[in-house]
Amino acid sequence: MPMSEDSKVVVLLCARLIKDLEPLTEAEWNILRRELERTGTTPKDLLSSETLKELNLKDELRRKIEDLLERSSVEGAVALNELRGWGIETTTIYEENYPSKLKSVLKDLAPPVLFYAGDLNLSEELSVGVVGARNIKEWEWNYTRQIAQTIAEEGFVLVSGGAKGTDEIAEKSCIEAGGRVVTVRTGTLLGKDQVWIRDNVLEGKLLVLLTQPPTAKSRMIVRSGKKIVFDLFQRNRLIYGLSKAVFVVTAYYDEGTKGTYYGAEENLRKDWTTIYVREDGEIPSGNRKLLEKRSRSRYIKGFTLSNLKEILNQLKSASVQREEPTGSGEQMPLLENAYMQRASQKKKKGSNEQR
């Protein structure tokens, strides 16, 4: 289904489709969105220079919008067509198929543009998230596998972030157990998992969500004096926004990467959904710090492998289950030839550069 004119403009403004052209930041987009709402206009009205002049925007932001609309109109359309050829579709908050949970839960922080491969109806199913560190021990690998199998057996869709370690184990174990997965990715889909992604998307078991095109360069932000990939924050938000509850398996605070901890902490500040933090086995620093917050927040609880099924049954009984998706089930030719060709081109290019 073709995108609306409003959506086309939002994509040009907010997606990193062109390498040397930086789109609107989250803050800039929300300033523009609120001004459009105030004046009763929509993004497609920005194509008129008169409309843009009438909006109460700073000159710098107005010039940036003008530049984005002018420079990205042709190149952006080409980039979107290329993505579609790979089986990657685009939606925005102005489309009916945009995940309703993200709008209702994340509100202003819902990404204005989403790129996806697979059946978007999966995002509307009763789902729970599983998150954790990249570097985990063998017993944590087995622990995560058991969590994912139980989630699949209980009929939930599993939501995770596609990263190495906890995310990867959870996603693959869930599908192996007959379950379905929504994976929120931040980088390129080229790599060792491309065949696995393609096959499971085509079989209706997997939905891939991206907040930016897989070819886009990551945007960096500074937090606590360190550079962090902003897309990781958006990835975490989508996991929490789509999930009835999120199970934190392994989070670090005093050592290693703090991405899992930061995602859980933001969720607690925003009251998006309930977090269940592992409290059996060897408990890492991030888990301990999160569990200390139980007395101050009704959105954080503990869990063990022995009471996981009981928790899932409670979540199930407290939710109104949605009907099965009624889509045609047809899938785009995700990664079928295009990713293989692109990988081959990259390999060939690298070989030529070494000569």
Side-chain angles (χ1 to χ4, degrees):
M1 184 175 68
M3 286 192 296
S4 66
E5 292 302 312
D6 283 325
S7 287
K8 291 177 183 177
V9 172
V10 172
V11 171
L12 296 180
L13 293 174
C14 299
R16 294 198 290 274
L17 295 171
I18 304 173
K19 291 183 179 179
D20 64 341
L21 195 58
E22 189 65 25
L24 298 184
T25 65
E26 184 180 85
E28 290 170 337
W29 160 249
N30 278 311
I31 290 171
L32 174 60
R33 180 187 56 78
R34 286 190 287 267
E35 189 61 15
L36 290 171
E37 292 174 357
R38 184 188 69 81
T39 57
T41 52
T42 63
K44 68 176 182 297
D45 297 320
L46 295 172
L47 297 174
S48 167
S49 58
E50 292 303 316
T51 298
L52 191 53
K53 290 177 182 177
E54 293 171 0
L55 298 180
N56 184 20
L57 303 172
K58 291 184 177 180
D59 290 341
E60 183 180 357
L61 178 55
R62 184 178 288 104
R63 285 193 298 269
K64 184 173 181 178
I65 293 170
E66 290 173 340
D67 192 34
L68 283 166
L69 292 177
E70 179 181 352
R71 292 187 59 200
S72 63
S73 58
V74 176
E75 293 180 71
V78 171
L80 288 176
N81 284 332
E82 183 182 24
L83 290 174
R84 193 170 296 113
W86 298 352
I88 299 175
E89 297 292 335
T90 310
T91 188
T92 81
I93 57 173
Y94 289 88
E95 297 295 320
E96 291 184 2
N97 68 349
Y98 186 94
S100 61
K101 293 179 187 177
L102 298 182
K103 286 184 180 180
S104 61
V105 175
L106 300 184
K107 297 181 173 58
D108 287 359
L109 294 180
V113 181
L114 282 178
F115 298 89
Y116 68 94
D119 185 358
L120 267 180
N121 283 307
L122 269 184
S123 68
E124 303 293 351
E125 294 289 307
L126 182 59
S127 57
V128 292
V130 175
V131 297
R134 291 172 177 263
N135 299 317
I136 58 175
K137 299 174 182 177
E138 185 176 353
W139 73 265
E140 291 171 305
W141 190 98
N142 292 322
Y143 192 105
T144 303
R145 184 177 180 84
Q146 292 180 70
I147 292 175
Q149 290 173 339
T150 303
I151 288 171
E153 291 167 1
E154 294 301 316
F156 285 81
V157 172
L158 184 146
V159 185
S160 196
K164 293 180 180 179
T166 303
D167 296 2
E168 181 181 22
I169 295 163
E171 292 176 0
K172 292 186 175 180
S173 298
C174 181
I175 287 181
E176 287 172 3
R180 297 169 297 166
V181 168
V182 176
T183 178
V184 185
R185 303 272 171 146
T186 58
T188 178
L189 297 181
L190 294 172
K192 64 183 181 66
D193 277 346
Q194 61 180 286
V195 175
W196 181 83
I197 292 172
R198 177 199 64 194
D199 291 347
N200 285 293
V201 164
L202 293 174
E203 292 176 15
K205 299 176 183 178
L206 180 69
L207 168 64
V208 182
L209 293 180
L210 306 102
T211 56
Q212 292 293 341
T215 53
K217 183 179 179 181
S218 297
R219 184 164 73 87
M220 308 299 291
I221 59 174
V222 178
R223 287 287 175 92
S224 302
K226 294 183 178 180
K227 284 188 176 181
I228 302 175
V229 180
F230 175 71
D231 295 344
L232 296 179
F233 281 87
Q234 288 197 314
R235 180 196 66 186
N236 290 337
R237 290 170 180 174
L238 263 62
I239 294 171
Y240 285 96
L242 291 172
S243 302
K244 181 68 178 176
V246 173
F247 293 90
V248 178
V249 184
T250 302
Y252 295 116
Y253 184 78
D254 296 326
E255 71 284 340
T257 177
K258 300 180 183 179
T260 301
Y261 177 83
Y262 285 149
E265 187 181 50
E266 182 179 33
N267 175 81
L268 293 178
R269 292 199 309 270
K270 303 293 185 181
D271 293 342
W272 286 329
T273 193
T274 302
I275 300 175
Y276 289 87
V277 180
R278 177 175 62 81
E279 56 180 352
D280 57 346
E282 182 183 338
I283 305 177
S285 56
N287 289 46
R288 290 197 300 270
K289 196 166 184 65
L290 288 170
L291 289 168
E292 290 171 1
K293 301 176 185 289
R294 275 187 289 191
S295 61
R296 304 192 297 275
S297 174
R298 64 188 178 92
Y299 286 96
I300 190 159
K301 301 177 181 180
F303 86 94
T304 65
L305 206 55
S306 60
N307 69 3
L308 176 62
K309 186 172 290 189
E310 178 185 350
I311 292 171
L312 291 173
N313 285 327
Q314 291 172 354
L315 293 172
K316 196 184 300 182
S317 63
S319 301
V320 178
Q321 299 238 29
R322 295 178 180 270
E323 295 180 358
E324 289 297 314
T326 57
S328 64
E330 295 180 358
Q331 300 289 347
M332 296 294 291
L334 175 73
L335 310 173
E336 201 129 34
N337 295 311
Y339 280 143
M340 301 295 189
Q341 292 171 359
R342 187 173 177 82
S344 176
Q345 290 169 359
K346 288 180 70 178
K347 184 176 181 181
K348 183 177 180 181
K349 181 180 178 182
S351 177
N352 291 337
E353 288 175 348
Q354 292 175 2
R355 293 176 183 175

